[in-house]
């Protein structure tokens, strides 16, 4: 099972919970699909999913969640290229915050859509 299939089956809340409860020093941690227990090492067979893969999907969800999926798609569609950056302002302050690379946002959108 791939990470995006795991999110489809178990949802974002369960995925986030599993990732948050995994100790940070467990570099090769994975989820055993038979019992949804986190294991410290990463066996190489299909009954396990890497915590890193799940973390990456959560990071993509969070990035897209800043403006929402539709607005993020609009930002990417209007960008000249993936090498450009997009910044937004904090309310009416005029202060720019959270600049994002368009290519990274495009990948995050694809990640989120693959989990739907």
């Amino acid at each position: 099972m791939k990470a995006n299939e795991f999110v489809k089956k178990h949802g974002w809340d369960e995925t986030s919970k599993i990732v948050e409860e995994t100790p940070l020093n467990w570099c090769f941690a994975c989820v055993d699909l038979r019992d949804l227990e986190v294991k410290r090492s990463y066996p190489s067979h299909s009954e396990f999913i890497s915590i890193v893969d799940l973390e990456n999907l959560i990071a993509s969800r969070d990035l897209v969640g800043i403006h929402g999926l539709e607005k993020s798609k609009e930002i990417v569609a209007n960008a000249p290229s993936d090498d450009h950056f997009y910044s937004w302002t904090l309310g009416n302050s005029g202060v720019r915050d959270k600049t994002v690379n368009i290519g990274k946002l495009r990948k995050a959108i694809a990640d989120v859509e693959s989990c739907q």
Side-chain angles (χ1 to χ4, degrees), residues 17-78:
K17 179 182 168 201
I18 288 170
V19 168
E20 288 169 8
E21 292 176 355
T22 302
L24 294 176
N25 63 342
W26 285 19
C27 302
F28 299 104
C30 61
V31 178
D32 186 332
L33 296 175
R34 297 167 294 196
D35 57 12
L36 296 185
E37 290 293 320
V38 176
K39 309 294 183 191
R40 190 175 182 124
S41 61
Y42 187 71
S44 59
H45 58 79
S46 62
E47 294 180 351
F48 293 86
I49 295 177
S50 166
I51 290 293
V52 172
D53 292 346
L54 296 177
E55 286 174 333
N56 290 338
L57 288 177
I58 290 169
S60 290
R61 179 206 57 188
D62 293 347
L63 180 59
V64 170
I66 292 170
H67 286 295
L69 184 59
E70 294 309 313
K71 178 67 176 174
S72 294
K73 286 181 177 181
E74 182 182 318
I75 290 166
V76 168
N78 292 324

Side-chain angles (χ1 to χ4, degrees), residues 79-98:
S81 77
D82 283 358
D83 295 330
H84 283 78
F85 292 84
Y86 176 81
S87 296
W88 47 92
T89 56
L90 295 172
N92 294 327
S93 68
V95 175
R96 294 276 192 199
D97 187 37
K98 298 198 180 193

